Amino acid sequence: EHDKKRYRLFCVIDRKATENGLTHPVVCYLDGATKAIDAALPKATYVRLGALRREYLAISPRRILERLP
C-alpha cells in the first residue's frame, strides 16, 4: 500500500512448463494493475487476464523472455 493505492501483479504458476519446452516450472507474469484501497478492479480486467492465461497455456513451446547476460 502506498498513497492509498494497492498494486497488483497477476501471474500464472506453470507447473507443466517442462512438458512445454522449458527446463523448470515457472511463474509467468501476465499483467499488473493499480487500484484505490477501497475500490475493486473492473470485471473487464479479470476477463482480460483470463484470456491472457488461456493464451499462455495454449502455446507450446511456451513463449518466454530469456534473461540477458
Side-chain angles (χ1 to χ4, degrees):
E1 181 181 318
H2 184 68
D3 290 333
K4 298 188 180 191
K5 293 182 182 179
R6 291 197 174 143
Y7 303 91
R8 298 288 186 251
L9 293 178
F10 297 96
C11 303
V12 61
I13 298 172
D14 187 353
R15 291 181 180 93
K16 294 184 178 181
T18 57
E19 299 170 21
N20 293 286
L22 301 177
T23 58
H24 295 79
V26 297
V27 175
C28 176
Y29 166 75
L30 297 174
D31 203 354
T34 304
K35 69 177 202 74
I37 290 174
D38 58 349
L41 289 170
K43 183 177 179 177
T45 300
Y46 294 101
V47 170
R48 185 174 48 79
L49 288 163
L52 288 170
R53 179 183 178 276
R54 286 187 298 278
E55 177 186 350
Y56 169 79
L57 293 173
I59 296 170
S60 184
R62 300 284 198 242
R63 291 186 300 189
I64 61 164
L65 294 175
E66 294 184 22
R67 185 173 55 172
L68 298 175

